[in-house]
């Protein structure tokens, strides 16, 4: 590699399909993220790209598990996939930075309302 002043070898941005921010690397999170990545590399190509949201459901799941853990991120992902079907929601639906107060581990049914959009 060159070291000249106009060298741009190291200036190229590294783009990843999945979220690459900081997160605690607990066994549950690593397992969940590994499972989603395995799905992305295998079954996703068979099923096809038919997600109605941005980011896609698998990208959303990867980020949700990384940010919020296997339990909370798993519920967020499950409800997001359920909303993605026919007659469901569509559009930009990012993973929340933090989870609000009523979202507790012992009330998983409340995760259904996170990111829910209505059709116009």
């Amino acid at each position: 590699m060159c070291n000249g002043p106009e060298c741009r070898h190291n200036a190229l941005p590294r783009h990843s399909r999945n979220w690459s921010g900081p997160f605690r690397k607990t066994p549950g999170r690593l397992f969940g993220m590994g499972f989603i990545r395995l799905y992305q590399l295998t079954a996703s190509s068979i099923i096809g790209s038919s997600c109605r949201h941005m980011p896609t459901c698998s990208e959303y799941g990867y980020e949700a598990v990384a940010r919020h853990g296997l339990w909370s991120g798993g519920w967020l992902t499950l409800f997001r996939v359920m909303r993605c079907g026919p007659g469901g929601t569509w559009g930009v639906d990012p993973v929340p930075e933090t989870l609000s107060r009523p979202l507790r581990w012992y009330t998983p049914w409340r995760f259904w309302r996170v990111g829910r959009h209505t059709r116009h």
Side-chain angles (χ1 to χ4, degrees):
M1 298 204 118
C2 62
N3 291 327
E6 295 181 24
C7 174
R8 298 189 52 108
H9 286 110
N10 295 329
L12 297 176
R14 188 167 174 245
H15 179 70
S16 176
R17 176 176 166 177
N18 294 314
W19 186 69
S20 58
F23 63 94
R24 292 184 311 169
K25 293 171 177 58
T26 60
R29 288 178 190 203
L30 294 175
F31 172 76
M33 292 166 57
F35 182 75
I36 292 171
R37 187 66 183 140
L38 179 68
Y39 163 79
Q40 288 176 338
L41 294 173
T42 57
S44 178
S45 62
I46 296 169
I47 294 172
S49 180
S50 61
C51 189
R52 301 161 45 130
H53 293 97
M54 187 66 189
T56 65
C57 291
S58 62
E59 292 171 6
Y60 182 94
Y62 190 93
E63 182 176 351
V65 170
R67 283 189 181 198
H68 305 297
L70 184 60
W71 182 259
S72 297
W75 283 109
L76 287 170
T77 303
L78 174 69
F79 292 136
R80 165 69 180 274
V81 170
M82 289 172 60
R83 287 192 308 263
C84 197
T89 61
W90 53 273
V92 177
D93 183 20
V95 177
E97 295 280 332
T98 59
L99 297 176
S100 64
R101 209 72 167 120
L103 297 176
R104 303 279 189 208
W105 67 269
Y106 50 84
T107 58
W109 59 88
R110 292 184 180 170
F111 287 93
W112 173 255
R113 293 194 174 129
V114 174
R116 194 168 188 186
H117 297 295
T118 57
R119 294 181 120 179
H120 296 291

